Amino acid sequence: MISEYIAQQEIHNRERELVTAAERRRVAAERAAAKNFNGDRLALMAHIARQARATRAVAHPAH
C-alpha cells in the first residue's frame, strides 16, 4: 500500500517535470517566433522542418 503510494507520487512528480519542460520549450519557441519570424509560428515551424530534413539528409544520404 505504501509502495503503491510512493510509486504514484514518483509518477506525479515525473509528469510535473515533463509538463514544466514542455512549457519552457513552448515559451522559448514563442520567443524565437517573435524575434526571428515576426511572430509567425507557421514560418518558425517551416524553418524547423527544413532544418530537420537537412539534418536527416546529411545523416542518411540517398544511395
Side-chain angles (χ1 to χ4, degrees):
M1 183 93 162
I2 291 175
S3 61
E4 191 174 315
Y5 173 77
I6 292 170
Q8 289 283 341
Q9 286 300 107
E10 289 175 0
I11 290 168
H12 178 71
N13 290 342
R14 180 67 180 139
E15 287 175 348
R16 189 171 350 131
E17 290 170 5
L18 291 171
V19 167
T20 301
E23 182 63 17
R24 270 193 237 117
R25 288 186 187 116
R26 185 194 64 76
V27 169
E30 290 282 338
R31 231 182 276 127
K35 180 180 177 187
N36 300 320
F37 299 97
N38 296 323
D40 187 353
R41 292 180 189 167
L42 187 57
L44 174 62
M45 288 187 279
H47 173 73
I48 291 170
R50 284 191 299 272
Q51 284 182 322
R53 283 193 300 274
T55 301
R56 281 194 307 273
V58 170
H60 304 288
H63 296 288

